[in-house]
Amino acid sequence: MIAQRKVISIQGKPARDPAIIDSSVKIVECIRTAMVGRNGGVALNDNLVAVANTRDREAFAELFGHFAPRIKAFMLKRGCDSAAAEEIAQMTLVTVWRKATLFKPQKASAATWVFTIARNLHIDTIRKSKRPAPDPTDPFFVPMPEKPADMSIAEQQDANKVQAAISTLPSEQQDVLRLSFYEEKSHGEIAKQLGVPLGTVKSRMRLAFGKIRNVIGDIE
Amino acid sequence: MTIQHHINDPLLVSYASGGLSEGWSLLVATHAALCPTCRDRVSAAEAIGGALIEALEPVPLSHCAYADVIGRLDTNITVETDVAEKPVVLAESPLPEPLRSYALVSQDEVLPWRRLGLGAFHIPILMQDTTMSARLLRIPAGRPVPEHGHGGLELTLVLSGAFMDGEDRFGPGDVQEANEDLIHTPHAVAGEDCICLAITDAPLRFSSRIVRMMQPLLNI
Ligand SMILES: [Zn+2]
């Protein structure tokens, strides 16, 4: 393990020996498998914090190995061709590096945070449209009231837990979530594709979200 | 401010997935800036995105992808923080971001109010997405909003003042949803002009013949 990690840190320098790159990608893959199998969500969160605090290249390599191939798969589902999907995956990881200090482990899991980065990059660069968002530095922004220290949201929103909750939903509810999150379809498009009324799509969405929120923790 | 009327679940999930168009997103985001509860709900919905990304079968990247990303990191060493300078505070402006940026002619000047008839004023808001219309409305205190039905869905977010619609009161931060079946005559509560953001995916149909005749001229 120690020897392998050394190889990865060589990647930190611009040196580009293809042999080293190839082997390091394999090693990253091994580390990924080893770490994600057991309690992967927490390891990923820790890696992100390490990148934020110490610009840790080894931690970044692990994040890359885990997330880049998933973001590529995600973008293929959103209709990107292979080159565009790869580009968004790369840009997402570059953004993870640059904005790691904005990751708040008590607010979201690493997977959720990375999802939002990929989502926004896709809207900006591929769809070339806008998704307005609140600005926490704006004087009119109403901050969160202080809450008593509770189980961290990241713990509650652990991707495995949410995934398990999704898998218990009736399949027609899972379908609307997948069409919405993977394929970025509007409610109208989902209704058309499934051949059901718009109101049905909305009620499935409402039921699905309600159940998942129960798992994540009662928010309201 | 105590918000009573929030963003509905399907709309909120759609905003989190990235599938919501610019106009609806503008309203959801402006409400979220004022409503910590809905920001929490958006985070919960984004956790679905995180979980669904985790569930994807990874698609391998090209063999040089890791080295490419590492190369891009070295040129981008700026550490981003979320503490930005925001010196612009508009006097008496109830406009939070992201709405304010849409309603500005310059750094510190809001677009001019235009006469709408029956004592009301509006400011049409330009968006990249031209399939929807967005505008700020100013209804004089105690006066009715011209009676209208809807060709589609209309969302209204109160920014200051309040209006009554039947038994329901809508104050700052509250969102009203009106669908095509609803013909209603909301009126501003006495004491303060009511300023709100109205978004619609179809032109409004005013019941008053005079307003209806003027509608093409007013561009509402
Ligand atoms: Zn709300």
Side-chain angles (χ1 to χ4, degrees):
Chain A
M1 192 65 167
I2 289 159
Q4 290 172 345
R5 285 191 167 220
K6 262 188 193 152
V7 179
I8 291 167
S9 36
I10 292 170
Q11 290 301 298
K13 296 171 192 159
R16 293 193 179 194
D17 179 343
I20 294 173
I21 292 160
D22 263 2
S23 64
S24 75
V25 170
K26 279 198 198 93
I27 291 157
V28 169
E29 193 60 28
C30 294
I31 293 169
R32 184 186 74 72
T33 318
M35 302 200 67
V36 174
R38 189 179 44 84
N39 218 356
V42 174
L44 293 166
N45 287 1
D46 291 349
N47 283 329
L48 250 177
V49 171
V51 168
N53 292 347
T54 62
R55 311 265 90 191
D56 183 331
R57 292 280 176 122
E58 290 163 28
F60 181 73
E62 280 156 15
L63 292 169
F64 181 92
H66 182 78
F67 285 118
R70 285 178 170 77
I71 300 300
K72 185 173 178 183
F74 177 38
M75 289 302 137
L76 290 171
K77 284 201 173 285
R78 289 214 158 172
C80 291
D81 61 26
S82 181
E86 172 121 1
E87 175 59 14
I88 298 286
Q90 291 197 21
M91 284 170 76
T92 300
L93 269 295
V94 172
T95 307
V96 164
W97 174 266
R98 291 173 58 191
K99 297 198 171 175
T101 49
L102 299 184
F103 172 65
K104 306 229 163 50
Q106 68 281 11
K107 281 197 170 168
S109 72
T112 299
W113 189 68
V114 171
F115 159 75
T116 62
I117 291 172
R119 173 197 66 195
N120 294 350
L121 284 170
H122 176 255
I123 292 171
D124 282 353
T125 64
I126 305 291
R127 245 171 55 192
K128 305 217 183 298
S129 64
K130 286 188 170 178
R131 182 184 177 278
D135 175 357
T137 66
D138 176 53
F140 293 102
F141 183 87
V142 177
M144 192 77 67
E146 286 300 320
K147 279 189 203 160
D150 207 335
M151 181 168 49
S152 81
I153 292 178
E155 230 168 277
Q156 296 168 46
Q157 295 190 353
D158 182 79
N160 294 330
K161 217 166 147 184
V162 179
Q163 229 169 300
I166 294 171
S167 69
T168 64
L169 297 173
S171 62
E172 71 263 20
Q173 289 175 25
Q174 295 190 29
D175 288 345
V176 298
L177 290 183
R178 289 209 187 89
L179 288 168
S180 186
F181 280 89
Y182 284 153
E183 301 183 27
E184 211 177 34
K185 293 239 160 58
S186 70
H187 296 151
E189 290 165 337
I190 295 172
K192 209 174 279 176
Q193 182 166 339
L194 298 177
V196 299
L198 185 61
T200 306
V201 172
K202 289 187 183 179
S203 70
R204 286 178 189 173
M205 199 76 97
R206 189 174 296 121
L207 289 168
F209 187 46
K211 282 180 207 159
I212 288 163
R213 261 191 305 164
N214 279 342
V215 172
I216 290 173
D218 203 29
I219 287 165
E220 282 168 310
Chain B
M1 120 174 48
T2 316
I3 296 174
Q4 303 289 344
H5 305 275
H6 296 271
I7 301 293
N8 70 52
D9 280 352
L11 196 65
L12 188 121
V13 172
S14 200
Y15 176 72
S17 77
L20 202 59
S21 61
E22 184 186 5
W24 303 131
S25 293
L26 175 60
L27 187 136
V28 172
T30 306
H31 173 83
L34 301 172
C35 181
T37 304
C38 283
R39 288 203 301 277
D40 262 353
R41 293 169 66 222
V42 169
S43 302
E46 286 171 342
I48 300 172
L52 288 175
I53 279 195
E54 286 296 298
L56 282 172
E57 194 56 44
V59 174
L61 277 78
S62 63
H63 75 282
C64 55
Y66 183 71
D68 284 351
V69 166
I70 292 297
R72 285 155 89 170
L73 301 188
D74 292 330
T75 57
N76 291 311
I77 46 168
T78 38
V79 176
E80 310 230 355
T81 66
D82 57 1
V83 189
E85 288 293 312
K86 261 288 161 17
V88 185
V89 180
L90 299 168
E92 297 167 53
S93 162
L95 304 179
E97 290 290 3
L99 174 59
R100 188 166 63 247
S101 299
Y102 276 84
L104 292 180
V105 260
S106 67
Q107 263 283 38
D108 49 5
E109 195 184 344
V110 176
L111 290 159
W113 289 101
R114 296 195 202 167
R115 202 172 289 280
L116 185 57
L118 306 175
F121 290 83
H122 75 150
I123 299 175
I125 287 173
L126 276 181
M127 295 182 298
Q128 199 174 301
D129 175 8
T130 52
T131 64
M132 313 186 75
S133 74
R135 63 204 170 117
L136 289 169
L137 274 175
R138 198 172 91 205
I139 314 300
R143 298 285 294 277
V145 180
E147 187 187 323
H148 59 284
H150 306 267
L153 183 68
E154 185 189 41
L155 289 179
T156 305
L157 167 67
V158 178
L159 299 160
S160 64
F163 70 82
M164 296 293 296
D165 194 357
E167 297 289 294
D168 291 324
R169 183 194 163 94
F170 295 85
D174 281 330
V175 176
Q176 188 194 40
E177 190 177 336
N179 64 23
E180 41 206 304
D181 309 321
L182 183 69
I183 294 183
H184 59 157
T185 313
H187 66 271
V189 169
E192 188 183 352
D193 287 1
C194 179
I195 296 178
C196 43
L197 169 68
I199 312 269
T200 177
D201 59 2
L204 303 182
R205 296 188 307 255
F206 284 95
S207 304
S208 149
R209 202 160 51 87
I210 296 165
V211 178
R212 202 164 58 228
M213 281 164 56
M214 288 167 65
Q215 214 172 331
L217 307 174
L218 295 170
N219 187 31
I220 54 174

